[in-house]
Amino acid sequence: MNPKLGCCYYPEHWPESQWQSDAQRMKDLGLTWVRLAEFAWSRLEPSPDNFEFDWLDRAIETLAEQGLKVVMCTPTATPPRWMLDKHPDMLAVDIEGRPRGFGSRRHYCFSHLAYRQEACRIAEIVADRYANHEAVQAWQLDNEYSCHDTARSYSEAARRGFRNWLSDKYESVGVLNEAWGNIFWSMEYDDFDQIDLPNLTVTEANPSHWLDFYRYSSDQVVAFNKAQADVLRKHTDAPLIHNYMGRIVDFDHYKVGADLDIASWDSYPLGFLVDRLGASEEWQRRFERQGDPDLQAFHHDLYRAVGRGRWWVMEQQPGPVNWAPNNPAPLPGMVRLWTFEAIAHEAEAVCYFRWRQAPFAQEQMHAGLLRPDSQPSAVFPEVEQTSKEIQVLGDVAPAKAEVALIFDYESCWAWETQPQGEAFDEFSLALDFYRALRGLGLTIDVVAPDHDLSQYKLVLIPGLFAWPDNLLQRIESHPGLVFLGPRSGSKTKNFQIPTGLAPSIPGLDVIIAYVESFKAGNERPLSNGGAIKHWCEAIETTEDVIETTVDGAPVLVRKNRLFYLGAWLDSAALGRVLKAACDELGITTTNMPEGIRQRTTASHRFVFNHNAHAHKFEGEELAPAQVKITALD
Ligand code: GAL
């Protein structure tokens, strides 16, 4: 598939006299896609049932005349002010019990069923008007579910919904009491209607209570999305897309993705470095203007899985953003690098956010491809160059990865519920595994736990909290090597310690007697080099011990093709043990220097220098932000 470029455009922000030249310039830049109207509800329906679509008709026409294709959006992330008069209780409520006010965006509660109907109503009206328009060739539903911490709401609607959800799940409150262990602290309930949301308890609420609330909240996002998707499908066969976020795991993206055709995500590498990743001071200084070298790639691979092979970058940072603690400009060359990196990971399209910087409101300090005065912004020539290069790149044929990394949303919620150590977090653990694999130059598939694993030589499961149906059988019959990370199988699905203790794998004589977490700076060295950080498990075993601490405590255990790692390893140790597994399997590895990354597809090899300095790699000097592309025969 030959990748395409696009941009996010807000005709409602600009005088109509500008639209024609905007469209012309987009075309001249070689853009294919223009995303429209995701925040335009107040202009489409200025008052209830009073519609004004003429302006959008004309905007689409103007774009269509230049041969541009439109991603039409449902505007449901920004319900207009009048909606609140209609549904005063539709606001999401924060964890402290405070309603989240009007005056920005995403102020709705996913559990509010009347708002869900309003969302379907406007989706139907927009679809009815534009589904048959030739230029409208894809649809985006809503905008960034969960952005600004909105997947979980502690509203009255959520409380009612949660009680019903629990009653459907457990059928009898006695079963729920048992599953949650409510005998502890006399928390037993007599009726589902007595159960509140887990916020505002005196001290921590029961982790099983939290985990079910997180599951419930995720299901509301899935249901909200599906309701809109069902409406759109009645009108169109064009692909349905949602734009997910970086590092946000509050709902099960695989489940939302199952109701859509393409996954997309919004990539802001510089903003994410601190705001999402909490990178160390040293890392921030080093990659301030390039972003973390593995974070974007991880999301590309994750969202390829969420989209079942089809994915886009819907919003690509083009310059300084406005929302991180500090907002540097990307190093010259980085916007081109990010674009090609997405393409290397098989993106079908990369759209820049946004066409022109807005001179008003919240994001007036956020760069676009044009400045507010319509002059090209600093990045414009770079995007022009990138666009020309993409036109001659040809099709990028999908890679066939030999390594799969399982990423599981429920495990993120489980460890959020009871981290047992300030640094323990599933996303970071998975990212550390991913980094170690990328440090070996590997092409990786990130997959859901129920994905078919048989095609992979090496399967990594960083910290799956409970064993889903079938997975253990599939692991047992897996022909390659399977590598389990710390805390795997350490809970039941109800969040209790399994009877036989972790990791609870029949036939594997490994028992975790207790676990320890500890502070950064107190790393525990391994006898073969590298060290344990954050998390360490006391392993009792009669199986083969592959790695130990310098004190002789078992760290990595093996039985046949299965490895159990009872610790969070630093990059040196993790890289070493994963390399040994690759060597055994005959998977070719390349030692990638820090900041140099590669991905090999069936048609191309892409090498990226994320460093701010030139770097020698394979006998060749790579300039800062350089992308080296080699077509393979
Ligand atoms: C995204 C969002 C856009 C814009 C952008 C700014 O999260 O979808 O609407 O706010 O961030 O970086």
Side-chain angles (χ1 to χ4, degrees), residues 5-56:
L5 296 181
C7 72
C8 307
Y9 184 50
Y10 301 89
E12 68 274 26
H13 294 180
W14 310 105
E16 198 163 333
S17 55
Q18 264 181 313
W19 296 355
Q20 209 282 328
S21 81
D22 282 340
Q24 177 73 52
R25 291 170 85 183
M26 289 174 194
K27 183 192 169 199
D28 293 347
L29 186 57
L31 304 188
T32 301
W33 289 103
V34 183
R35 187 188 66 171
L36 290 183
E38 79 277 18
F39 301 133
W41 198 340
S42 70
R43 286 295 168 93
L44 295 175
E45 190 181 13
S47 56
D49 296 319
N50 161 28
F51 297 101
E52 286 182 13
F53 277 97
D54 294 0
W55 67 270
L56 188 53

Side-chain angles (χ1 to χ4, degrees), residues 244-256:
Y244 304 100
M245 303 184 69
R247 187 65 180 84
I248 299 294
V249 293
D250 291 357
F251 63 93
D252 191 325
H253 292 50
Y254 300 123
K255 286 189 181 162
V256 169

